[in-house]
Amino acid sequence: DTGVSQDPRHKITKRGQNVTFRCDPISEHNRLYWYRQTLGQGPEFLTYFQNEAQLEKSRLLSNRFSAERPKGSFSTLEIQRTEQGDSAMYLCASSLRGTGAESSYEQYFGPGTRLTVT
Amino acid sequence: EDKVVQSPLSLVVHEGDTVTLNCSYEVTNFRSLLWYKQEKKAPTFLFMLTSSGIEKKSGRLSSILDKKELFSILNITATQTGDSAIYLCAVMEYGNKLVFGAGTILRVKS
């Protein structure tokens, strides 16, 4: 258990419905990331936050996707009007932020939310 | 476009064998390279490599980075059935986002 938690662990929804996932990072981590993983592929970056600021969004993140981290702690990822192609494992990760130009910190992943769109 | 390529895609070995997994990358703003192990759940962190030529070790696992040739290897000695997993290589860019390879599926037979 890395200390990153995600809820729910599994979600089955019908096409066209909205879904929301939650991620609680390791408490002292100020960076939070969302990734999507489909079968046979490595995780793909979606977006990340430093504290409450969303600093980067992938072009994979269509306008049906929105992510928030309102108080710089937990984050939510919402998908509106779900499509079958949204079926995937949605992974959240957290890390510390480097304080120098060359510093970087490893990311720790949560257990993921597996989304199935029928 | 940034790219991370892992080889082989899959590998079957017997317990006790030594395996070498490869990762090559083409990334614009390289900061570090990370290895993760993924079983039927989220990736678990193994190593982070930032400098060339310095081997990192943890038990039977070791890894090294070559920033000139843009690759890394992950070695597992005396493999056990519990090593069966997908091994993911990822490159961290400035901004700290990770670019992952597709992974190497390792199966260790008893």
Side-chain angles (χ1 to χ4, degrees), chain B residues 34-90:
Chain B
L34 292 84
W35 285 95
Y36 287 86
K37 177 183 181 182
Q38 186 172 30
E39 296 167 275
K40 291 183 180 177
K41 47 188 179 178
T44 54
F45 173 75
L46 295 175
F47 297 111
M48 183 168 72
L49 304 155
T50 306
S51 302
S52 271
I54 298 174
E55 185 182 49
K56 290 215 172 179
K57 291 196 74 169
S58 176
R60 297 177 293 102
L61 277 66
S62 63
S63 184
I64 197 161
L65 173 67
D66 185 328
K67 289 169 74 173
K68 183 179 175 186
E69 300 297 329
L70 308 183
F71 79 89
S72 174
I73 60 172
L74 175 69
N75 281 318
I76 308 174
T77 59
T79 51
Q80 302 171 358
T81 55
D83 295 325
S84 296
I86 300 171
Y87 289 85
L88 294 165
C89 171

Side-chain angles (χ1 to χ4, degrees), chain A residues 21-66:
Chain A
F21 310 141
R22 176 180 169 124
C23 171
D24 287 86
I26 294 170
S27 58
E28 62 268 27
H29 286 183
N30 46 20
R31 285 200 165 172
L32 185 148
Y33 308 79
W34 286 99
Y35 294 85
R36 181 173 70 186
Q37 186 175 25
T38 53
L39 198 62
Q41 299 297 318
E44 295 174 292
F45 170 79
L46 293 178
T47 187
Y48 90 95
F49 293 83
Q50 182 168 296
N51 299 315
E52 66 275 9
Q54 188 172 18
L55 296 187
E56 188 174 347
K57 293 195 292 188
S58 163
R59 65 181 184 278
L60 293 175
L61 215 65
S62 76
N63 56 12
R64 296 184 298 105
F65 288 70
S66 62

